[in-house]
Amino acid sequence: MNESSHVWLVRHARPARQGVFLGRMDVPLDAGAEAESRAGLEQIQAAVVYCSPLERDWRTAVWIAGADKPTVLADLADLDYGSWQGRSWEEIERTEQEVAARKLSDWLGTTPAGGESWAALELRVARALDTILAGPLPAAIVAHEAVNAVVAARLAGTDPLVFHQPFGTALRLEV
């Protein structure tokens, strides 16, 4: 396989707000996030770096070698959690018991009020991935866990229900 036939899948560094569904909320990075994540990400070599339009992503993207100006793709934005945005799971279980129970039994098939369905997320991430895979490669994608779960499912067959990527880490996926 060609050495350049891969994509780096990066989850943004730790955000200042945690424990809630962030979705499209544009929150900055935690004060200690750079110290924890930058050194590992500076080792990534990519011909181009793509990122979500949210601050936590493009701030992380610039730590990748040669990514002074990452390419922002709107289709890499986080899943829109609608009425759940900014709320903790505990709060949702307490206030929306029926929807929370449905979500637990069908995580990918249940959408919060005003939110984006998993199927819609898959479609827009597929559009972004088509752009990225058109080259040049290797490329880096700096995005969110839900977005990265879709990319990993498409490129590596990973089950999105078990996919987990810690903040500020990178996975190399062959294409």
Side-chain angles (χ1 to χ4, degrees):
M1 179 167 280
N2 182 337
E3 175 59 28
S4 65
S5 301
H6 64 274
V7 170
W8 288 101
L9 191 58
V10 179
R11 185 173 183 198
H12 61 77
R14 190 180 67 244
R17 189 164 179 201
Q18 295 178 60
V20 297
F21 289 93
L22 289 177
R24 302 291 176 86
M25 292 175 65
D26 207 1
V27 300
L29 294 177
D30 180 86
E34 182 171 0
E36 292 174 5
S37 302
R38 186 175 187 144
L41 298 180
E42 286 178 331
Q43 306 306 311
I44 294 173
Q45 297 294 318
V48 62
V49 177
Y50 297 93
C51 70
S52 157
L54 298 173
E55 179 181 356
R56 58 193 183 268
D57 299 288
W58 56 262
R59 291 230 182 257
T60 302
V62 298
W63 300 336
I64 296 172
D68 298 331
K69 193 171 185 181
T71 301
V72 174
L73 292 180
D75 282 337
L76 293 176
D78 202 359
L79 182 65
D80 184 343
Y81 289 102
S83 65
W84 290 7
Q85 202 158 264
R87 297 172 63 199
S88 70
W89 179 248
E90 294 76 22
E91 178 186 352
I92 292 162
E93 282 186 309
R94 191 175 59 254
T95 61
E96 298 183 45
Q97 294 173 354
E98 184 180 313
V99 177
R102 276 198 327 262
K103 186 73 168 167
L104 286 175
S105 66
D106 184 10
W107 193 265
L108 302 181
T110 302
T111 304
E116 176 181 28
S117 71
W118 190 264
L121 172 72
E122 287 177 319
L123 287 174
R124 70 176 168 81
V125 171
R127 282 193 309 263
L129 195 54
D130 287 346
T131 297
I132 293 163
L133 295 180
L137 296 175
I141 301 168
V142 182
H144 312 273
E145 191 165 40
V147 170
N148 291 358
V150 172
V151 173
R154 291 180 64 88
L155 296 182
T158 306
D159 180 349
L161 288 172
V162 298
F163 180 85
H164 174 68
Q165 185 177 19
F167 293 118
T169 61
L171 303 171
R172 180 182 162 136
L173 300 177
E174 299 302 321
V175 295

